[in-house]
Amino acid sequence: MRRRHFIGGAALGVTGLAGVSLPLLAAARRAADGESPGRLLTSRAELPRPYDVPLPVPRTLTPASGAAADVYEIVQQPAELEILPGLRTPAWTYGGTFPGPTLVSRTGRRTLVRHRNTLPQPTVTHLHGGHTPAHSDGYPTDVILPADGRITAERALAAMTHGMPGHGAPAGVGGIAGGERTHTYPMDQRAATLWYHDHRMSWTGLGVWRGLAGFHLVHDDEEERLPLPRGERDIPLMITDRAFEEDGSFRYPLIDAGLTRPGVTDAYMDGVLGDVVLVNGAPWPVHRTPRVRHRLRLLNASNARPYRLRFDPQPAGGDAFVQIGSDGGLLERPVRHDALRLGPGERFDVVVDFSRWPPGAGVRLVNTLARGGAREVMEFRIAGGPAREDAGAPDRLSRIERLDPGRAVVTRDFRFRQGKDGWTVNDRMYRPGRALARPALGEVEIWRFTTSLHHPVHVHLNHFQVLARNGGAPGPYDAGWKDTVDLPPTQSVEVAVRFTDYDGTYMLHCHNLEHEDMGMMADFITG
């Protein structure tokens, strides 16, 4: 079944499925597990038992601090990692680890991050959630070539084609960099949990799958005045799914193992799902936890898999998760949940009180959207005895400016669906340099996203506020400032957005990385 015929037969409208698409769509998803989009890729390696491997916490990188800025140096490099016990996994890494090292910035203090690429492939680095000048945003053709010169700029651009020969990409906003690039982040934004990852056009799915992802945390005075859990009780958790070959290497369904043509095989075009859940790079880890409150910074860094996270057993009275923040930082007030749904790219900042479980309890974090191995995520083992408690989640967290939809100067529609040759926004596959919108800096706009299948939508430059879902109220996970919003099939979301500070070319796209790689992106130009 050829790629073009598959997508053409499965073309969808927002209100329903074309009749011809049903058997093909069912065939593409017959190996999916549970309610997740995409297709399950099963491991061939011997897998460990869940909850045997200790939870690792990514190391925090120390910057070189000067009078004007904090400067970080990151070498993008191959590494062999012991992810599955007893096996070695060749990975593409930031600084030799997966996840990469955690970067820490402070609101209002400029951060410079110098990336040097010693990998065998070009890369692009995007700070997801960063309020960033266009030249440092990680436009998908702003590649850093390998430092050894093995790949020319012409060859790098020719390879970014969505699998359609003859459609090479132009150089992007920041141009081609030979070996290294310095990204400038003014950090004129609130405290928040950000992350950085590969963003190369047509190759993002492979780059992230092989290890190119890490946390970037931003702190400010407002956050630090609150009595939130700190230190070892403030834990970033990067949740991903992967599949492994028998020798421990990452398994991924490339259409071309020689890496000259991008894309995955036809069966995986709706997204690649792994059968092993990694948390901070460890399979189904366990964390020994004192009976006190912890702050968990939850990030869904999977290529395509959404999660509905729930504790098993639930604490007496429910409401195990006290949400204090979203993609763009603190909420005004805490929101309590029994479960959390995270689409790819979304972050949820929560406080969990582990004193609500008895000493010695094993508390599993499970994904109720999946069956099999992908249902299990990690376990917290509750230490015995009481512990001194000095942290919590106050009733008032922050003050958030409300964007007034009544002052919107325009409403724009963005339709995310399949076309005859790939995934599209407004019936067009991505073409660098072709803008679908030109918002004016400082003006409020309403953007309406509608979907055919499941699409998590991500907007660069500024965060937005969800106004409505399907014409009704926002959903239970839409509070606060967002940069990624998860849309189940045939749904719509309206958001209010206002772009500020930086003119230039930016992106909106689906954060299902296989959809993104197959054309579901669009430029917009601010000014």
Side-chain angles (χ1 to χ4, degrees), residues 88-329:
R88 306 300 291 180
T89 300
W92 296 349
T93 72
Y94 295 118
T97 63
F98 171 62
T102 297
L103 310 185
V104 178
S105 294
R106 190 161 193 87
T107 296
R109 180 167 172 80
R110 195 162 59 119
T111 296
L112 304 180
V113 184
R114 182 174 300 114
H115 283 269
R116 180 169 175 79
N117 180 12
T118 66
L119 294 167
Q121 288 289 309
T123 62
V124 173
T125 305
H126 169 56
L127 179 58
H128 186 124
H131 184 60
T132 304
H135 60 75
S136 293
D137 183 58
Y139 190 76
T141 59
D142 285 356
V143 297
I144 310 172
L145 300 174
D148 63 7
R150 72 176 69 187
I151 295 178
T152 65
E154 292 75 18
R155 181 180 163 193
L157 293 174
M160 295 186 286
T161 65
H162 307 310
M164 297 179 292
H167 294 267
V173 176
I176 304 297
E180 66 178 44
R181 184 192 300 276
T182 298
H183 295 260
T184 300
Y185 303 134
M187 289 300 160
D188 185 15
Q189 58 186 105
R190 309 168 73 227
T193 301
L194 314 182
W195 64 300
Y196 61 103
H197 60 81
D198 190 44
H199 203 260
R200 181 168 58 128
M201 177 176 158
S202 304
W203 297 93
T204 298
L206 176 65
V208 173
W209 190 271
R210 288 196 172 177
L212 291 175
F215 282 101
H216 192 142
L217 308 182
V218 184
H219 298 298
D220 65 12
D221 292 342
E222 178 185 51
E223 175 199 54
E224 291 183 351
R225 282 194 294 266
L226 298 174
L228 300 173
R230 305 179 189 278
E232 294 182 350
R233 293 159 57 188
D234 181 354
I235 307 175
L237 298 176
M238 178 184 289
I239 303 172
T240 63
D241 59 332
R242 296 290 186 270
F244 295 87
E245 299 287 2
E246 187 175 4
D247 63 359
S249 59
F250 287 126
R251 191 174 182 214
Y252 188 75
L254 286 168
I255 195 171
D256 174 17
L259 303 184
T260 60
R261 290 186 301 145
V264 293
T265 55
D266 288 339
Y268 293 92
M269 290 175 54
D270 194 25
V272 182
L273 308 176
D275 61 348
V276 179
V277 176
L278 306 178
V279 183
N280 291 348
W284 304 297
V286 60
H287 184 62
R288 300 185 184 279
T289 307
R291 298 184 68 236
V292 292
R293 294 183 181 92
H294 282 61
R295 179 178 184 175
L296 307 180
R297 300 173 184 261
L298 301 167
L299 159 64
N300 180 357
S302 293
N303 280 34
R305 182 184 293 281
Y307 297 84
R308 187 189 295 128
L309 299 178
R310 187 179 177 90
F311 283 117
D312 184 12
Q314 284 278 293
D319 290 342
F321 299 101
V322 180
Q323 184 188 356
I324 60 170
S326 58
D327 302 335

Side-chain angles (χ1 to χ4, degrees), residues 48 60 95 97-98 108 151 174 226 232 283 306 317 331 345 351 436 453 484 498 520:
T60 298
T97 63
F98 171 62
I151 295 178
L226 298 174
E232 294 182 350
L331 306 181
V351 171
L436 294 192
L453 298 177
T484 307
R498 181 182 60 203
M520 192 168 263

